[in-house]
Amino acid sequence: MMMVESSPVYQLTLRYALAKDLPALEWEGEFTHFRRIFSEAFHQSEQGKAILWVAEVPGEGILGQLFVQIDSESSPKRDGRKRAYIYGFRVRPVYRGLGIGSRMLQTAELDLARRGFRRICLNVSRENRDARRLYESFGYRVVSAEPGVWSYLDEKGIRRHVNEPAWRMEKDL
């Protein structure tokens, strides 16, 4: 199913990501190191374990992305029935502050509610005050501090370690 919304100013379309969108998520090389993460997330979406949203404008390309993990064997916070986890949510810097992130978050929440989910959680960097304000304006609340320590394999198969302390935020739908 594809949900589409249009903005008269930007001709913005919000839709589920397609396989052909994966290279565009790398934003001209800025996020190439996440290539395997994007590929795995898309594979999980094909299995019904994740939902990948993109915001696109004709002639401009993909301006934003929002991933939702809806089923995970490794975490009770996303159980495939009532709880989901938002991650990989970003809007290109030049387009921030124009309501694109708000529309993406609202669309994802409505879609999750329609699917029967009752709670959404996410982590936001403790340094990202703008994102935290956005989430709080949508009714998310801080429920805990998270160490933000994780690792992944980059596009060359090299393990990268991340240390980004975060706030765990949750919202009941």
Side-chain angles (χ1 to χ4, degrees):
M1 176 186 162
M2 192 179 294
M3 296 177 69
V4 177
E5 295 184 7
S6 294
S7 165
V9 178
Y10 297 106
Q11 302 297 311
L12 183 69
T13 300
L14 303 181
R15 62 175 175 78
Y16 299 136
L18 306 170
K20 69 178 185 168
D21 296 324
L22 293 178
L25 299 179
E26 296 180 15
W27 292 6
E28 293 80 39
E30 184 177 354
F31 294 107
T32 300
H33 58 282
F34 287 153
R35 183 176 292 161
R36 289 177 188 235
I37 292 174
F38 296 153
S39 179
E40 176 59 26
F42 186 77
H43 179 69
Q44 289 182 3
S45 75
E46 292 178 311
Q47 296 176 336
K49 295 181 178 182
I51 305 164
L52 280 58
W53 288 95
V54 294
E56 180 179 43
V57 172
E60 297 291 320
I62 293 177
L63 310 179
Q65 67 188 53
L66 185 154
F67 299 168
V68 182
Q69 188 74 42
I70 58 174
D71 192 7
S72 174
E73 296 163 3
S74 64
S75 174
K77 294 188 188 293
R78 41 201 178 263
D79 64 3
R81 295 179 308 280
K82 300 294 177 196
R83 288 176 254 151
Y85 177 75
I86 290 177
Y87 71 105
F89 183 18
R90 64 179 56 94
V91 174
R92 287 182 182 262
V94 71
Y95 295 98
R96 292 180 187 158
L98 301 174
I100 295 170
S102 293
R103 289 188 55 209
M104 293 185 76
L105 189 56
Q106 179 182 39
T107 299
E109 286 181 357
L110 290 171
D111 183 50
L112 288 167
R114 181 187 59 76
R115 294 169 186 256
F117 286 85
R118 297 290 172 247
R119 177 168 290 217
I120 302 175
C121 65
L122 55 84
N123 286 351
V124 60
S125 168
R126 291 186 201 171
E127 296 177 6
N128 194 342
R129 290 184 178 95
D130 291 337
R132 181 174 168 181
R133 274 192 297 277
L134 171 68
Y135 300 136
E136 287 173 339
S137 75
F138 272 78
Y140 290 81
R141 67 186 193 297
V142 172
V143 296
S144 67
E146 294 287 326
V149 176
W150 58 285
S151 66
Y152 65 97
L153 292 177
D154 69 11
E155 80 283 10
K156 296 174 183 172
I158 298 169
R159 173 123 347 245
R160 292 203 187 189
H161 299 276
V162 178
N163 185 2
E164 184 179 48
W167 299 112
R168 168 64 48 104
M169 300 185 80
E170 292 186 359
K171 176 182 179 176
D172 291 330
L173 291 177

